[in-house]
Amino acid sequence: MIYPKIPLAQSIIEICLAKGITTIIISPGSRNAPLTIGFVNNPAFQCYSIADERSAAFFGLGIAQQTKQAVALVCTSGSALLNYYPAFAEAFYSQIPLIVISADRPQSKIDIGDGQTIRQENVFENHSLYNANLDEDVSKENDAKINRAIDTSLNEKGPVHINAPFEEPLYETTSELSVEVLVNGFATFIPVPIIEDLSEYAEIWNSSTRKMILVGVNEPYAINDTTLAALGEDESVVVMTETTSNLHHSTFINNIDTIITPFTTKEYEDFCPDILVTFGGMIVSKRIKAFLRKYKPKHHWHIDTLRAYDTFGSLTKHFEVNPNSFFESFMPLVRVVKGDYFEKTNAVKILREEKHEIYLRKLPFSDFVVFEKVIKNLPKHCQLQISNSSAIRYAQLIDIDPSIEVYCNRGTSGIDGSTSTAIGAAVANKKQTVFITGDISFLYDSNALWNQYIPKNFKIILVNNGGGGIFRILPGHEESAVFNTFFETSHCFTAEHLAKMYGFEYTVASDEKSLSASLSAFYNQSDKPSILEVFTPTLENDKILLQYFKELV
């Protein structure tokens, strides 16, 4: 076996191995050579080389998202480390375990004018669950910090930072380990299923005729079918889900904006729940957040083992337990309550579905038509990755097959690493992976394609409307040179040459006929990854979307 000669590098590698951290994303560099040498020469590690650190971090995030295991990111010193920050913040808010291991100069070289040197210690402090600032020499203190960083990432589901100073020479190797590392026993944190008597809350529940369950980002198949059935059959309960909730039942409301956007003041007042129960991650719908902030429920209970954000300014109880355990203990305590809360909401749902279909049938070719057709024609049992901005918001308006697993970086809701994340997820999850993205997000993260690990069945559907179309539907939009340049970022670029450079199959659609023909062949191309670029008109999309909500009443 080949080991780096520097003892500190040996310690980091051996502790990672002992803790089961075996997926390593390495961005090439010199200062991190001792770590690279050790990781790539040990067959126990699965190592990936991604040159662009920002892309590398999101690639690792995608793998961790799918495997639920921590992934280590390894980079050289200097600005390389800063490029991890967007994915680091996403991991923090999406509760995904990432372990950043940065090589550094020794402290004596910091702030003296040495090259490729910045103040690396605690650089992620605002979003890091733990910062292990190591000393250059091997020590029990260093080992304890490394152990704590890894354990924290695994237990608290988030990112940590290990900063390791190395002095030259960096490339020397040895065939024997020179360290005996301290490895703390790791006990996974298992939350107590129920930490208190729920009878008090059951009484509140049983006395209410208007209960809303609102689910944010949620893992597929995470909630028991028995719980879903019980919630779906209670006429005093309305369950509202999003595309990223991965929850399905015939009675659930899965198109929140379609339901509530056209409400009058009186309808909003009537719809306000007495009890709001939330679980899962971030909520996409701005309209449901605005509604619940204005029409506050009397009780807001959030169910999560780790965090409870007071998103609506009305949080009254945090149940620190996973949703399955909560409902398994809670449902036997509740009784059926007569009421018309679900009945009235379901009547609105049926009306909206009818109006939705009528409106779609008369639309010209546009973003809305494309998203409707693309989502309706996704392969069953595939993994769907969606970029932020317009793409995820259009997806919220369209029914999706229950067999499809849906993911989106909603922790920070950024467009910066959606493609890289999708590729990492495709590598980790062997299912057919489809990534739907807008043009600005795709161009922003085009280095994601600079990746030798992309599966042959990875598919990108790129909706290109020539700019950041979402800004056209926001208040204050007006056609001007300032708007086009600094908000919408108008452009005339396509993915054609990128596809050729990176070895993707490339297909174009610009109307319904060509889109239908392209989709029918798109998923049968398996000899190399593919891009289907769909061109839509720039100026009509915002008017079509805004008119949609007016046509629903």
Side-chain angles (χ1 to χ4, degrees), residues 373-388:
K373 195 167 193 66
V374 164
I375 290 175
K376 293 293 187 185
N377 285 278
L378 288 168
K380 289 191 174 183
H381 305 288
C382 74
Q383 175 192 183
L384 174 62
Q385 294 275 339
I386 308 178
S387 73
N388 277 301

Side-chain angles (χ1 to χ4, degrees), residues 21-78:
I21 309 303
T22 57
T23 301
I24 316 294
I25 317 300
I26 301 171
S27 290
S30 181
R31 189 62 49 170
N32 59 332
L35 294 168
T36 301
I37 289 167
F39 281 125
V40 301
N41 283 292
N42 188 329
F45 295 103
Q46 176 66 58
C47 297
Y48 299 88
S49 176
I50 306 290
D52 182 327
E53 284 86 3
R54 187 181 72 188
S55 181
F58 278 108
F59 177 79
L61 182 91
I63 293 176
Q65 174 200 84
Q66 295 297 309
T67 63
K68 310 299 181 291
Q69 302 296 316
V71 169
L73 310 173
V74 177
C75 71
T76 191
S77 63

Side-chain angles (χ1 to χ4, degrees), residues 286-298:
K286 294 177 68 175
R287 290 178 171 89
I288 194 68
K289 286 185 278 193
F291 161 63
L292 290 169
R293 286 166 182 163
K294 184 174 181 180
Y295 301 91
K296 296 184 187 298
K298 297 175 185 175

